[in-house]
Amino acid sequence: MSVTKIFSDLIINAWGWHITSDIPKEIKKAVVIVAPHTSYCDFLLGRISFWHMNVETKFLIKKEAFFWPFGLLLRKLGGLPVNRKKAGRLTDAIARMYDDHESLFITITPEGTRTLVQKWKLGFYYIAVTANVPIILGVLDYENKRGGMKKVFYPTGDMKEDLKEIKRFYEGVNGKNPERSKIFY
């Protein structure tokens, strides 16, 4: 057992959370969305949760956060810097990353920020469709202290219907700051 696994198990237990992965082991590539994203705490709890589940994941974070020496730590933790001003080209570039890896999970918070948004950013959906990988629906439900990777969703290409189903999955899931959480498309 790795040091990060032991550390994460201790933290998850001490905080009273129940974190599980309901994802079949044969899935090696996916876009992982975690919602709702309403607090800085989500990153720390999320990172520890992935270690607890023994899942190696990459995550997207604005390039401005990659200043020295913080950028070195973010890269070590799995951070991928993104230029949010180049959205269209970014989704294609991320989708192409899946071609270069035998196993790749990239975690995205569809809100794109911790503040209340009226619409999710849909890059996660475009990436999954373009890369032909499933979307794993992940949660951090602060009210019930439950979380993890809970459902594999295969996009059909009918974005409107797919997003309705994804929205239904997240109904009743509460972020740390529920007043900042709405799921709109």
Side-chain angles (χ1 to χ4, degrees):
M1 200 180 299
S2 72
V3 172
T4 53
K5 172 72 171 135
I6 294 168
F7 168 77
S8 62
D9 290 354
L10 289 170
I11 297 296
I12 292 296
N13 290 330
W15 289 348
W17 277 76
H18 183 73
I19 303 290
T20 58
S21 173
D22 301 331
I23 306 307
K25 296 276 186 217
E26 56 270 8
I27 294 181
K28 301 292 183 200
K29 297 179 182 183
V31 173
V32 180
I33 62 171
V34 181
H37 178 39
T38 65
S39 166
Y40 282 110
C41 298
D42 298 344
F43 174 79
L44 179 61
L45 180 57
R47 186 72 262 168
I48 291 170
S49 295
F50 282 113
W51 289 333
H52 175 74
M53 294 182 291
N54 279 321
V55 174
E56 185 178 327
T57 183
K58 303 286 186 188
F59 59 92
L60 306 176
I61 191 165
K62 61 185 174 185
K63 70 176 185 164
E64 293 83 4
F66 284 81
F67 57 87
W68 192 88
F70 193 57
L72 297 172
L73 175 63
L74 287 174
R75 280 188 174 82
K76 182 73 174 158
L77 292 172
L80 299 171
V82 295
N83 182 349
R84 297 182 296 174
K85 293 181 175 97
K86 295 183 180 179
R89 285 181 261 162
L90 177 62
T91 56
D92 290 338
I94 294 167
R96 285 191 301 273
M97 287 181 188
Y98 287 91
D99 294 335
D100 300 331
H101 294 85
E102 221 173 282
S103 177
L104 181 62
F105 294 96
I106 296 178
T107 301
I108 298 173
T109 56
E111 296 96 337
T113 183
R114 293 162 307 283
T115 59
L116 178 64
V117 297
Q118 297 304 310
K119 285 175 70 172
W120 274 9
K121 296 180 182 292
L122 300 177
F124 75 90
Y125 187 85
Y126 296 119
I127 292 166
V129 169
T130 303
N132 195 29
V133 298
I135 299 168
I136 294 177
L137 307 181
V139 298
L140 290 174
D141 185 346
Y142 282 82
E143 183 176 320
N144 299 302
K145 288 193 167 188
R146 296 194 174 277
M149 299 188 335
K150 296 299 180 187
K151 181 178 180 177
V152 180
F153 181 83
Y154 292 91
T156 66
D158 182 345
M159 185 168 66
K160 185 176 180 180
E161 289 304 311
D162 287 350
L163 293 174
K164 282 181 187 177
E165 187 173 335
I166 291 170
K167 180 180 179 181
R168 276 192 298 273
F169 173 82
Y170 284 102
E171 287 175 358
V173 176
N174 293 294
K176 184 168 180 63
N177 299 300
E179 70 280 1
R180 296 183 193 166
S181 178
K182 288 186 181 179
I183 300 175
F184 292 104
Y185 307 108

